[in-house]
Amino acid sequence: MNNKKHKIQAVIGLAVLGGLISTGPVQAGGFSTPTYGAPGWGRAFGGGSLFKNDPSAAYNNPAAMAFIDQNIAQMTVDYARIKMKYKGNATDYQGQPASTIPVDSDGIPSGPAEELTGNGGQGGFTAWLPTGFLVMPLNDRFAFGLSQVVPQGMRSTWDDGWKGRDFAVDTKIETVGVTGSLSFKVNDQFSLGAGLIVQHSTGFVSQNLNLTGAAALSPNIGIPFPSGVGSNLMRVKVDNTSVGWFTGVVWKPTEQDTLGLNYHAKIKNKMEGKYNIYADALGRTYMTQPAGPNGETLVELAYPGLKLNPDGANATTQLDIPATLGLDWVHVFNDRFTLGASATWTQWSSFKDLTLKSDGNTIVSIPYRYKDSMMYSLGGDYKLTDQLTLRAGVAFDETPTRDSTRDPRIPDNDRWFTSLGFGYDIKAIPGLTIDGAYSRQFVKEAKLKTVNQDRLGGSSLDGKVDAKGEVVSLSATYHF
């Protein structure tokens, strides 16, 4: 076997290995995630994957692979740190400050109400995210690409005892995908491309169940129980494997200009798993002991059809991956300076609600009613020396959330990305380039003015979330 085949096998092995590494989310608008290496992060995604020999085209726009003139493999590791802080009020269904009443092992209140004053502690997260791309020209017309990406991912984490615990404690959404794509060069100015993605999605949510508040608001009971008696933490974990497709076209109207259009189709994603409830003695009584004339529990009396099992049960939810449409442009001014611009539309309006079901029964359906959103970016490369390239970019990302339905699970708002980056060719190892980037997110203050559903206790939040984030990206790219 010759050395070239050895190199190809080694690179494919690295790409596959990248798909097995534990991943974490890097949040953009909603719960989408940028799918680029460090060069793309350094440009704030301006120009998409149309810059010369950018292997991220294997996923972002497969048609651009037709203009890559050599085998290229790229492995990237991103480190993300997102911080969030809630400032404001939280009240129960009676308008009183959110509180908890402790209970003893027999389910009897054992002390006075204790006001919840925490603003969420260290809300946010840190994460490591690996991404890999491989592009191989097959001949003068065809090129093949592989990638491992995380197209969707977000996380919000709040302390168990924060005042908004009836709305959210921990939320995590993540999709890891492996793709294969093919491009065809029609002529020197025009190319087509398409690909498939096989992805595994996981979701995890947790929050406190305010059972006494929910019972008090029930039209079937209506007794003014005190709110927040005891603590009942519900955790839901679901996952699913699904398949989708994507396509793109590239046009080079001049020697200096490249235009690209890409489309990633909506992916149906029904997620299945389990829920568990860490219930105290009083909560277990409400969920398991007969209290009605036909043996109904207190929960079933309050909300007919609602069955909660403190020992856990099946759970399902529909969390489809929205379609995206992107337009990219790159202009080469000279052999030193290249500039790119992009506009990406995401069909977030397909995400209308988060509905949790168990064995056909609806536990809760939380409306979100996202709206379609746009992201605009501008960035470029400046070749300072034959070895060193500098990058910079800026992007504006619209939020799909609405003021009327925004909650602390995804306390998103419009954001700016500002990025700086570099690329350095390693002379000692021909074909190897090291790229780095730093990106800072400036998120508009997110207002939260929302009321929980009756079956969740009717608590209210009136405040705001301040968030900020940063991403450090490092790539190794090998041309062979």
Side-chain angles (χ1 to χ4, degrees):
M1 185 177 291
N2 59 37
N3 288 336
K4 184 175 182 179
K5 288 183 179 179
H6 276 301
K7 290 178 180 178
I8 292 174
Q9 288 182 342
V11 169
I12 293 176
L14 286 173
V16 173
L17 179 63
L20 302 177
I21 300 174
S22 175
T23 61
V26 181
Q27 188 178 348
F31 45 88
S32 63
T33 305
T35 50
Y36 294 90
W41 277 97
R43 305 179 194 113
F45 329 118
S49 298
L50 299 186
F51 280 75
K52 184 177 180 180
N53 291 335
D54 187 342
S56 67
Y59 175 70
N60 295 318
N61 188 339
M65 297 190 301
F67 296 99
I68 293 178
D69 55 13
Q70 56 189 313
N71 298 323
I72 302 179
Q74 183 181 86
M75 289 300 300
T76 301
V77 176
D78 299 325
Y79 171 76
R81 182 172 65 179
I82 309 296
K83 291 185 177 182
M84 300 182 294
K85 190 72 173 181
Y86 175 77
K87 297 178 181 179
N89 299 316
T91 55
D92 63 18
Y93 76 95
Q94 294 176 314
Q96 300 299 315
S99 62
T100 180
I101 299 175
V103 298
D104 61 23
S105 59
D106 295 320
I108 306 300
S110 59
E114 301 171 357
E115 183 178 345
L116 296 171
T117 59
N119 281 328
Q122 295 300 313
F125 62 88
T126 60
W128 293 90
L129 172 68
T131 305
F133 301 103
L134 171 67
V135 174
M136 301 171 60
L138 302 178
N139 53 41
D140 292 340
R141 296 256 183 204
F142 289 94
F144 174 70
L146 292 172
S147 69
Q148 179 263 307
V149 292
V150 183
Q152 305 291 334
M154 66 78 56
R155 182 167 186 172
S156 60
T157 301
W158 307 92
D159 289 349
D160 288 350
W162 84 293
K163 63 178 67 174
R165 66 178 190 163
D166 290 353
F167 290 85
V169 175
D170 198 23
T171 304
K172 182 179 180 181
I173 301 169
E174 181 179 274
T175 297
V176 179
V178 178
T179 80
S181 52
L182 190 68
S183 68
F184 173 67
K185 183 187 289 186
V186 179
N187 52 44
D188 289 341
Q189 289 78 40
F190 189 75
S191 66
L192 305 170
L196 294 175
I197 179 171
V198 179
Q199 59 184 28
H200 184 72
S201 301
T202 59
F204 176 81
V205 296
S206 67
Q207 73 177 68
N208 182 66
L209 296 181
N210 188 345
L211 297 177
T212 52
L217 289 170
S218 165
N220 300 309
I221 296 179
I223 300 173
F225 291 113
S227 177
V229 179
S231 177
N232 301 281
L233 185 67
M234 183 177 190
R235 293 179 174 176
V236 182
K237 187 175 183 180
V238 290
D239 69 348
N240 184 49
T241 298
S242 54
V243 178
W245 61 272
F246 53 94
T247 188
V249 296
V250 168
W251 177 44
K252 289 180 171 289
T254 71
E255 289 290 331
Q256 292 78 33
D257 293 287
T258 304
L259 290 168
L261 186 68
N262 66 83
Y263 177 75
H264 291 70
K266 176 183 174 180
I267 302 175
K268 293 285 188 178
N269 191 34
K270 184 178 180 179
M271 304 175 72
E272 300 179 346
K274 298 283 185 179
Y275 77 77
N276 290 285
I277 301 175
Y278 297 84
D280 57 27
L282 184 62
R284 180 170 287 273
T285 297
Y286 286 167
M287 289 182 274
T288 61
Q289 297 303 309
N294 298 312
E296 305 97 331
T297 66
L298 184 64
V299 169
E300 292 173 297
L301 279 177
Y303 298 94
L306 175 60
K307 297 181 180 180
L308 294 177
N309 186 346
D311 297 316
N314 296 329
T316 62
T317 189
Q318 190 78 24
L319 190 64
D320 297 338
I321 309 302
T324 65
L325 179 68
L327 177 63
D328 304 309
W329 167 74
V330 168
H331 180 78
V332 180
F333 286 88
N334 51 50
D335 59 357
R336 295 284 183 185
F337 180 49
T338 303
L339 185 67
S342 296
T344 302
W345 167 82
T346 303
Q347 193 183 18
W348 279 116
S349 58
S350 62
F351 181 47
K352 301 183 183 303
D353 57 63
L354 186 63
T355 299
L356 181 67
K357 295 185 177 182
S358 179
D359 297 324
N361 298 311
T362 298
I363 296 177
V364 67
S365 182
I366 303 174
Y368 280 94
R369 296 187 292 109
Y370 273 19
K371 56 189 177 182
D372 295 344
S373 65
M374 293 292 300
M375 182 176 185
Y376 307 94
S377 52
L378 180 70
D381 292 2
Y382 182 77
K383 196 169 184 179
L384 189 64
T385 69
D386 290 341
Q387 286 182 269
L388 180 62
T389 298
L390 302 179
R391 300 185 177 99
V394 62
F396 176 70
D397 191 17
E398 294 179 343
T399 182
T401 63
R402 299 176 184 270
D403 289 347
S404 59
T405 56
R406 186 183 296 120
D407 67 18
R409 293 202 181 283
I410 310 177
D412 188 51
N413 211 338
D414 297 343
R415 72 192 63 222
W416 287 91
F417 287 83
T418 56
S419 300
L420 294 173
F422 73 91
Y424 190 78
D425 293 333
I426 308 297
K427 278 191 173 182
I429 307 176
L432 179 63
T433 301
I434 300 298
D435 298 278
Y438 173 80
S439 181
R440 185 68 182 263
Q441 298 181 34
F442 300 90
V443 186
K444 182 180 177 182
E445 180 181 276
K447 295 181 179 179
L448 299 183
K449 191 175 180 62
T450 183
V451 179
N452 245 341
Q453 296 184 14
D454 289 356
R455 64 174 57 195
L456 291 176
S459 302
S460 299
L461 281 182
D462 186 3
K464 59 186 179 181
V465 172
D466 291 319
K468 57 184 178 181
E470 53 190 353
V471 176
V472 177
S473 182
L474 184 65
S475 293
T477 306
Y478 185 56
H479 307 71
F480 58 100

